[in-house]
Amino acid sequence: MDTLQKNIAILSELNETERTITPCNNRSLPSVEAVKTIIQLVKMIVFPGYFDKQQTNQGFRSYHIGVNMEQLSAVLKEQIALALLFDHDCESTVQQQAEEFTMQFIDRLPEIKRILFTDVVAIYDNDPAVHNYSEVIFCYPVVQTMLHYRVAHELHRMQVPILPRIITEKAHSATGIDIHPGAEIGEYFAIDHGTGVVIGETCIIGNHVTLYQGVTLGAKNFQVDDSGRPVNVPRHPIIGDHVTVYANSTILGRVTIGHDTVIGGNIWLTHSVPPHSRILQSKAQSVSFTDGLGI
C-alpha cells in the first residue's frame, strides 16, 4: 500500500512542462468525443439523407438540418472556447471569441458542402470501379478524410487552436491518410485508395489534382532558430492544376510541380519541374536467373 500511495503522490505532481501547457487551473480540455460529434453533425448537414434519417422532401430536410445546425453551434462553441483556453492564459473574452468563430464557421458550411461535392465528382471521374456518386459518399475513405480536412482547414484559417489537429488526426487514424489542416487544397481533389498519403502543412495543391496511395508531399529539411526549435516556414511542395502523382512517389521541399504534369510511381523528386512534364522511372530490365540467383 505504501508503494501505491508513494507513486500516486509522485504522478499527481505537476512538472514544469505540464505547468507550461496548462496555465489555467482546474479547467476542462477540449473533448475528443465532442469533436467526433462535431464531425458527425457536419456530415449529416452536408450529406443530408446519407448518414441520418431519410429526408423525402424539402420540409423534412430543412427541419433535420436545422436541428443538426443548432446542436453543431452549441457543441462547436463550447469546444472552441476550451481550445482558446488550452492555447492561452485565461481570458474574459473567450466566450465572445468562441461565439464569433462559431458563426464564421456556420457561415462557411455552404462553401464546405460545395467543395466537398467537387471532391466526390473527382473521385467518381477517376475510378471506373465506382458506379455512382452515392457509392463514393458511402464507401470511399477519401470522402471521410476530406470532410475532416475541409472542416479543420476552415478552423485553422480562423486560428482556432488544437481542434483542427484533433480533427485531421481522427481521419488519419481511421483511413491512413495524413493531411495537415494548414495545407491548401483546391477543388476536384481525388485520392485513389489513399493508405499512406502524407500532405504537409505548407503544401499548396491546385485544382483537379489526383494522388494515389503512398504519396508523400513532405519537407526536405527545416530551419531552426537560435534555440534549436524548428521554424515554421514554407517547406512543402506546390502542386499545379491537373497534376497526377502515382503510387509511392515522394516529393520533398518547396518545389513547384507545373500544371498538367504526370509523376509516375516510386519517384523520388526534390526539384521543380515545368508544366506538361512526364516524370517516369527508367524501364525495368528483363534478366534471366538460374539456380536461384534471382532470390
Side-chain angles (χ1 to χ4, degrees), residues 214-263:
V215 168
T216 297
L217 305 180
K220 185 177 179 181
N221 49 44
F222 51 83
Q223 303 174 23
V224 297
D225 59 21
D226 293 338
S227 63
R229 288 283 304 158
V231 179
N232 191 358
V233 297
R235 59 198 180 278
H236 299 102
I238 300 171
I239 309 296
D241 296 342
H242 298 280
V243 168
T244 298
V245 185
Y246 282 97
N248 299 314
S249 285
T250 297
I251 306 173
L252 300 181
R254 195 60 166 183
V255 299
T256 298
I257 307 303
H259 63 81
D260 296 281
T261 287
V262 175
I263 296 176

Side-chain angles (χ1 to χ4, degrees), residues 36 57 96 151 202 216 218:
K36 291 180 182 178
N57 61 52
Q96 180 182 344
V151 169
T202 62
T216 297

Side-chain angles (χ1 to χ4, degrees), residues 103-282:
M103 290 302 102
Q104 288 179 37
F105 179 82
I106 295 299
D107 205 36
R108 292 290 295 170
L109 275 174
E111 177 61 14
I112 291 173
K113 176 175 180 175
R114 185 196 68 80
I115 199 168
L116 277 169
F117 271 87
T118 73
D119 299 333
V120 170
V121 171
I123 296 161
Y124 176 84
D125 289 344
N126 278 280
D127 189 353
V130 67
H131 296 90
N132 52 58
Y133 294 139
S134 294
E135 183 180 347
V136 174
I137 294 170
F138 272 130
C139 303
Y140 277 52
V142 65
V143 174
Q144 178 178 347
T145 301
M146 292 310 294
L147 186 141
H148 281 70
Y149 159 76
R150 301 287 187 196
V151 169
H153 183 65
E154 290 301 325
L155 295 172
H156 183 273
R157 288 177 58 194
M158 299 175 199
Q159 299 184 343
V160 174
I162 200 64
L163 289 186
R165 292 304 305 273
I166 296 174
I167 291 169
T168 53
E169 289 303 329
K170 294 304 295 179
H172 179 197
S173 63
T175 68
I177 302 170
D178 183 5
I179 306 178
H180 193 284
E184 298 181 23
I185 301 177
E187 301 177 0
Y188 296 94
F189 180 66
I191 301 177
D192 199 358
H193 305 295
T195 306
V197 167
V198 178
I199 301 174
E201 177 186 13
T202 62
C203 273
I204 300 174
I205 298 175
N207 300 322
H208 299 277
V209 171
T210 299
L211 309 181
Y212 285 79
Q213 68 272 18
V215 168
T216 297
L217 305 180
K220 185 177 179 181
N221 49 44
F222 51 83
Q223 303 174 23
V224 297
D225 59 21
D226 293 338
S227 63
R229 288 283 304 158
V231 179
N232 191 358
V233 297
R235 59 198 180 278
H236 299 102
I238 300 171
I239 309 296
D241 296 342
H242 298 280
V243 168
T244 298
V245 185
Y246 282 97
N248 299 314
S249 285
T250 297
I251 306 173
L252 300 181
R254 195 60 166 183
V255 299
T256 298
I257 307 303
H259 63 81
D260 296 281
T261 287
V262 175
I263 296 176
N266 297 300
I267 298 293
W268 179 273
L269 192 60
T270 58
H271 62 269
S272 298
V273 298
H276 300 283
S277 296
R278 297 291 183 270
I279 311 298
L280 305 173
Q281 287 195 47
S282 300

Side-chain angles (χ1 to χ4, degrees), residues 19-41:
R19 290 192 181 94
T20 301
I21 291 172
T22 57
C24 296
N25 294 325
N26 301 319
R27 70 173 183 211
S28 297
L29 297 174
S31 165
V32 173
E33 289 303 315
V35 170
K36 291 180 182 178
T37 299
I38 289 168
I39 292 300
Q40 184 63 24
L41 288 166

